[in-house]
Amino acid sequence: MTDVLPEHLITLHPDAQAQLFTEARTANTFTDTPVTDEQLRAIHDLAKYPPTAMNSQPLRILYLRPGAGRERLLPHLADGNRAKTATAPLVAVLAVDTDFHDHLERIFPVRPGLREHFAADPAGRERTARFNATLQIGYFLLGVRAAGLAAGPMAGFDTAGVDAEFFAGTGWKSLLLVNIGHPGPDAWLHRLPRLDHDDVVRHA
C-alpha cells in the first residue's frame, strides 16, 4: 500500500486518504454493476460545495447509460477510448455552461449587476466559465471516488462533434468524458511516478 502521511499532519482518516488520493487509480475496465441515480445525486451533493469564483458553478453534466445516447457518443471518440466507453456502465460528459451568468442573481446575490457585466463580455464570460468548470471537474472526480466508484477520465474525443450531437442550441460545451463504475478485471495500468514536493514547490 502507498504510504499515507502521519495522522497529525493530515486530519482526514488514512482510509479516506487512500480512497480519494493515494490508492485511487484511473480505471480502464468496469464490471456491469449499474451506477444508480441515488449515487449520482450523492456525488453532486458532495462535489457542489468546493469553491468557484463568484460561486459561479459553471460545470454541467450529461450522463449516458448504455443505449441510443451512448451509441451517438461513440463515433466522436478516439479509437483507443471507444471500446472501454462502450462497455462502461455510465459515461459522464462534463461540460461548461457559457451561460452560467444567467444564474448569478440567485447564487451570488451580493453583487447586483454581475449578470449584466458578463452578458456584455462573452469572451471574458467563457474564460471565467472554463476555468471554474475545470476546477469543478477535479471536485467531481473526488466525489466519484468518495462514492466508492472508479473514474476513467478521457480527453480523447471530438469536442465539436459532441457539442453538435448533444448540446446544439445551448451554451454547453464539452470538456471531458469520464467512464464511471466499479473497476473490472485488469482495470489499472502501472502507476507512473509523481513529482516530489521539492520538484514543484518554491517559497518566496
Side-chain angles (χ1 to χ4, degrees), residues 155-191:
F157 67 101
D158 175 9
T159 56
V162 169
D163 294 348
E165 187 72 43
F166 295 101
F167 303 141
T170 77
W172 293 26
K173 297 183 179 181
S174 56
L175 298 174
L176 192 73
L177 306 180
V178 185
N179 293 333
I180 300 172
H182 295 275
D186 300 318
W188 323 119
L189 300 176
H190 294 295
R191 187 186 286 285

Side-chain angles (χ1 to χ4, degrees), residues 52-73:
T52 54
M54 299 162 291
N55 199 34
S56 52
Q57 305 168 67
L59 183 67
R60 303 292 182 264
I61 306 169
L62 171 68
Y63 287 119
L64 299 172
R65 289 190 166 86
R70 179 81 61 86
E71 294 303 315
R72 290 165 55 199
L73 174 68

Side-chain angles (χ1 to χ4, degrees), residues 16-203:
Q17 293 179 44
Q19 181 173 340
L20 297 179
F21 296 101
T22 59
E23 292 296 320
R25 305 289 298 279
T26 295
N28 291 287
T29 69
F30 298 89
T31 70
D32 58 4
T33 303
V35 178
T36 68
D37 289 345
E38 290 77 15
Q39 287 173 303
L40 299 181
R41 184 172 293 275
I43 291 166
H44 175 262
D45 287 343
L46 184 64
K48 69 184 179 183
Y49 284 107
T52 54
M54 299 162 291
N55 199 34
S56 52
Q57 305 168 67
L59 183 67
R60 303 292 182 264
I61 306 169
L62 171 68
Y63 287 119
L64 299 172
R65 289 190 166 86
R70 179 81 61 86
E71 294 303 315
R72 290 165 55 199
L73 174 68
L74 294 177
H76 302 290
L77 271 62
D79 291 344
N81 291 332
R82 199 166 292 147
K84 58 186 175 183
T85 302
T87 57
L90 186 75
V91 182
V93 182
L94 302 186
V96 56
D97 184 1
T98 60
D99 293 330
F100 74 94
H101 64 300
D102 287 336
H103 300 279
L104 285 175
E105 291 179 358
R106 176 167 64 94
I107 61 178
F108 200 63
V110 297
R111 286 281 303 276
L114 198 57
R115 180 194 178 281
E116 289 72 21
H117 167 78
F118 279 113
D121 182 15
R125 186 172 77 237
E126 181 158 348
R127 285 194 302 271
T128 297
R130 285 184 176 272
F131 176 80
N132 286 282
T134 302
L135 283 179
Q136 288 187 279
I137 287 173
Y139 310 148
F140 175 84
L141 294 174
L142 290 177
V144 170
R145 292 173 173 182
L149 300 168
M154 302 171 294
F157 67 101
D158 175 9
T159 56
V162 169
D163 294 348
E165 187 72 43
F166 295 101
F167 303 141
T170 77
W172 293 26
K173 297 183 179 181
S174 56
L175 298 174
L176 192 73
L177 306 180
V178 185
N179 293 333
I180 300 172
H182 295 275
D186 300 318
W188 323 119
L189 300 176
H190 294 295
R191 187 186 286 285
L192 295 172
R194 266 37 178 190
L195 294 175
D196 292 328
H197 173 275
D198 292 346
D199 294 323
V200 301
V201 173
R202 294 182 180 180
H203 295 273

